[in-house]
């Protein structure tokens, strides 16, 4: 709920959502390119909680163009399934806070951290080129290794990794994030 309020206060005219559960490719960023993006919480027993979002297709195209100029591959994908929970959960709270703006949704990729950073700069450049006031929502929970029953299994360095990354992000330590060993 707090994130929803912060987004509302930022007054964006578009949201860019990056979800670890959206379609992904090993060597490219997948950007959803359907005019309308839909999803519901049917997989969690509440299909009546459903959403529809307008996609900013001009921004999708500009992000792809800026990324290509920067040497990062993207693929535009027409949505073939509903939006994933990594996208819908933050959007639920953002919409609940009263924000109803177009949304651009993308997955992550297994490209290098430097390429991902370069892609982020391309997103920033695309927003500026179109005069959009964007808010980037990066959904995720980092290591996934904090509990014994975690899908990837428990690892004692999971908490250390998560704390290190959060500290680096909080202090805008880009170099630290880029140099962090992901293993």
């Amino acid at each position: 709920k707090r994130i929803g309020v912060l987004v509302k206060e930022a007054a964006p005219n578009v949201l860019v959502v990056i979800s670890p559960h959206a379609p992904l490719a090993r060597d490219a960023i997948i950007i959803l390119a359907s005019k309308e993006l839909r999803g519901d919480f049917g997989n969690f027993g509440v299909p009546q909680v459903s959403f529809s979002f307008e996609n900013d297709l001009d921004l999708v195209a500009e992000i792809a163009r800026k990324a290509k100029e920067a040497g990062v591959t993207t693929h535009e994908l027409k949505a073939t399934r509903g939006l994933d929970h990594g996208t819908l959960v933050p959007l639920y709270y953002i919409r609940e806070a009263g924000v109803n703006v177009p949304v651009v949704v993308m997955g992550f990729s297994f490209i290098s951290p430097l390429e991902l950073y370069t892609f982020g700069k391309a997103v920033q450049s695309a927003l500026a080129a179109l005069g959009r006031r964007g808010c980037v929502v990066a959904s995720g929970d980092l290591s996934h290794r904090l509990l014994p029953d975690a899908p990837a299994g428990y690892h004692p360095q999971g908490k250390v990794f998560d704390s290190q990354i959060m500290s680096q992000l909080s202090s805008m330590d880009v170099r630290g994030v880029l140099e962090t060993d992901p293993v």
Side-chain angles (χ1 to χ4, degrees):
K1 288 184 177 186
R2 185 177 49 160
I3 295 297
V5 170
L6 290 172
V7 170
K8 182 176 176 96
E9 290 171 355
N13 56 21
V14 65
L15 298 173
V16 176
V17 181
I18 304 166
S19 171
H21 301 288
L24 67 95
R26 176 161 294 289
D27 59 352
I29 303 286
I30 303 293
I31 307 171
L32 298 185
S34 298
K35 183 171 179 56
E36 182 179 50
L37 302 172
R38 298 178 162 276
D40 64 52
F41 289 106
N43 288 342
F44 300 93
V46 282
Q48 68 276 19
V49 180
S50 63
F51 298 94
S52 174
F53 304 93
E54 176 189 346
N55 196 350
D56 186 336
L57 294 177
D58 291 336
L59 182 56
V60 168
E62 188 67 12
I63 290 170
R65 190 176 76 71
K66 294 288 188 181
K68 183 176 182 179
E69 286 175 4
V72 178
T73 303
T74 62
H75 296 300
E76 296 174 36
L77 175 69
K78 299 284 186 187
T80 57
R81 58 184 171 124
L83 294 173
D84 65 277
H85 65 280
T87 300
L88 288 175
V89 169
L91 289 179
Y92 173 88
Y93 290 104
I94 292 168
R95 176 78 54 94
E96 185 178 67
V99 178
N100 189 8
V101 297
V103 176
V104 171
V105 177
M106 60 193 68
F108 70 100
S109 177
F110 296 106
I111 59 179
S112 75
L114 182 57
E115 288 173 293
L116 291 169
Y117 176 76
T118 300
F119 176 75
K121 299 298 272 182
V123 170
Q124 181 181 36
S125 179
L127 287 163
L130 295 178
R132 302 285 201 274
R133 181 172 172 81
C135 180
V136 176
V137 178
S139 177
D141 60 356
L142 298 174
S143 71
H144 287 81
R145 311 273 320 253
L146 302 177
L147 303 171
D149 61 346
Y154 172 76
H155 193 287
Q157 289 299 308
K159 184 174 182 177
V160 173
F161 174 84
D162 288 5
S163 295
Q164 177 182 344
I165 289 291
M166 290 307 297
S167 175
Q168 291 164 336
L169 291 173
S170 294
S171 65
M172 300 296 286
D173 179 7
V174 174
R175 181 179 300 272
V177 171
L178 292 176
E179 293 176 355
T180 297
D181 184 358
V183 179

